[in-house]
Amino acid sequence: MSAPPAPGADLVRRVVDPLWRGLVGYRVLAWCYAAVLVAVNHAGYRWPLGGVLVLAGMGLWTAVTSLGYLRVTRVSRMVGRRRLAVADLAVTVLAVAGTLSVETAEHIAGGEPVLATVWAAGPVLAMALTLGAPGGLLGAVLVQAAVLTVRGHLGTPEVTDLLLMLGAALAVGYAATVLRASAERLRQATELRAALAERERLARAVHDGVLQVLAQVKRRGTELGGPAAELGELAGEQEVSLRTLVARGAPRAQPAGRLDLAARLGELATPRVTVSAPAGPVPVPSAVAVEVAAAVAAALANVQRHVGPDAPAWVLLEDLGDHVEVSVRDDGPGIPAGRLAEAEADGRLGVARSIRGRVEGVGGTVRCDTAPGQGCEWIFEVPLPEPGPAQRPAGRPHR
């Protein structure tokens, strides 16, 4: 059964919707302005019918892009705003180029506006909303390049238009980026508040009375021995699991393609295995979380196999911003010098494949600090790609 969506899960997708509605309104008004200019200048066109055809095409395209940007139809939701903005840019350049076949050379040289007029700014704003300031600036340069090609000269009006369009693209793109980042932080804060409330609820439901009963069952089972000892061991494991759940709360949703490594390692805690991790989530790429957790489990299995089934072990997770470091330590007799290389040469590849191979497969490094009589410590270091502002969870330390 799938979990219900987190509060505010679609907030980031909807936060720029008012800007898209504003763009659609601007595009309609700009088309109306272009229609007035065509009506006024119609008699002086070299090809009057061409002006009407270009204006009609602009009107039809305005309707198509308006439905697409507002995601009114099922098809428009499938196409996506980014691809529609790129197509919008291409159509607008064609509309600007249509001036050459409609207007006379004298009118163009005299500074008459191109047929698209201010309607040509629409795809620039759309590119800024979907791709941020860089996309908007690129769209402004391409549109103005088409305008300059039609006019054939660079003067004060052309420079002014270019600067205005670049400024609008920069402002809208920056605003859209900031809005998305702010919405993501609000979503994370909402989820954190919900998780804290859930933890409080669990703390009240699973109070110390339940935990004390489990601890007593474990203690009495160990004293009685036999089948009761096995029951006591299971009760002890459940006690650790409950304490971890109450202390950490329910796992929180992470950005797409990422998992909370702290939660994955916390699942390995038992009465013999102590897991220490940051208080907040440590989101890492899914492959890293899966492979590192498997490598830690393999290292803990080696502790049970070579040190003893009751041997304690300690797992420590550190989030260092650009990489994570995980260590697995025991207080056993240690590994004699050359033993790992000898085992690999003999074809026993448990450590090579289960531990080193997994960590190195996700770009990490493995080292083993051990000495006779001083235990063994496996240390995994895995670099992490730097997440963007919209992916960085609140509360994650960055140093």
Side-chain angles (χ1 to χ4, degrees), residues 2-350:
S2 58
D10 62 341
L11 178 63
V12 180
R13 295 194 302 270
R14 295 186 291 105
V15 69
V16 294
D17 282 352
L19 297 181
W20 285 108
R21 290 193 288 270
L23 171 59
V24 169
Y26 166 81
R27 206 72 184 284
V28 172
L29 291 176
W31 182 85
C32 293
Y33 175 68
V36 171
L37 290 182
V38 169
V40 171
N41 300 324
H42 180 267
Y45 286 158
R46 179 174 63 182
W47 183 30
L49 179 60
V52 175
L53 292 177
V54 172
L55 180 65
M58 290 166 51
L60 178 61
W61 185 247
T62 299
V64 171
T65 54
S66 297
L67 294 176
Y69 290 148
L70 296 179
R71 293 182 172 178
V72 173
T73 66
R74 184 176 182 181
V75 174
S76 65
R77 289 193 292 270
M78 293 174 60
V79 170
R81 287 168 171 165
R82 181 172 300 180
R83 283 180 288 183
L84 185 59
V86 174
D88 195 1
L89 180 63
V91 172
T92 300
V93 170
L94 290 177
V96 171
T99 305
L100 292 173
S101 61
V102 175
E103 277 280 17
T104 63
E106 293 77 11
H107 285 176
I108 294 176
E112 288 292 332
V114 296
L115 290 179
T117 64
V118 293
W119 186 85
V124 176
L125 301 179
M127 295 277 287
L129 287 175
T130 56
L131 300 173
L137 294 176
L138 176 61
V141 169
L142 293 178
V143 169
Q144 286 302 310
V147 172
L148 292 177
T149 301
V150 170
R151 290 182 175 174
H153 66 276
L154 180 62
T156 300
E158 288 75 22
V159 173
T160 301
D161 290 345
L162 175 61
L163 292 178
L164 287 175
M165 194 169 287
L166 289 175
L170 184 63
V172 172
Y174 178 74
T177 301
V178 171
L179 280 174
R180 289 191 180 95
S182 300
E184 175 64 19
R185 286 193 290 270
L186 177 59
R187 182 190 68 81
Q188 293 166 2
T190 303
E191 291 185 356
L192 178 60
R193 181 176 180 180
L196 291 176
E198 176 67 9
R199 184 163 64 185
E200 291 292 334
R201 188 188 69 82
L202 288 173
R204 291 192 298 268
V206 188
H207 52 79
D208 284 343
V210 176
L211 298 175
Q212 289 173 359
V213 169
L214 290 174
Q216 185 177 1
V217 171
K218 177 181 181 296
R219 185 167 52 252
R220 288 291 295 161
T222 303
E223 293 174 356
L224 295 173
E230 182 180 355
L231 179 61
E233 183 179 352
L234 294 175
E237 293 177 355
Q238 293 302 313
E239 179 196 1
V240 172
S241 299
L242 280 175
R243 288 190 183 276
T244 301
L245 181 61
V246 171
R248 297 187 63 87
R252 298 198 291 276
Q254 303 301 324
R258 302 172 80 85
L259 295 174
D260 184 3
L261 182 57
R264 296 298 293 262
L265 296 182
E267 297 171 358
L268 302 176
T270 68
R272 296 180 299 274
V273 177
T274 302
V275 178
S276 301
V282 182
V284 300
S286 301
V288 172
V290 171
E291 294 300 323
V292 170
V296 170
L300 294 174
N302 280 342
V303 172
Q304 284 193 325
R305 185 180 304 113
H306 299 291
V307 182
D310 297 325
W314 296 267
V315 178
L316 173 64
L317 168 63
E318 293 185 271
D319 180 8
L320 302 178
D322 60 344
H323 70 284
V324 292
E325 183 174 300
V326 181
S327 63
V328 182
R329 181 174 60 86
D330 64 69
D331 58 358
I335 302 176
R339 174 67 62 84
L340 294 178
E342 178 183 345
E344 188 170 352
D346 291 342
R348 301 193 301 274
L349 304 178

Side-chain angles (χ1 to χ4, degrees), residues 374-395:
Q374 297 184 11
C376 174
E377 183 176 15
W378 290 96
I379 301 174
F380 313 143
E381 293 186 12
V382 181
L384 299 176
E386 181 65 20
Q391 290 184 315
R392 187 175 296 126

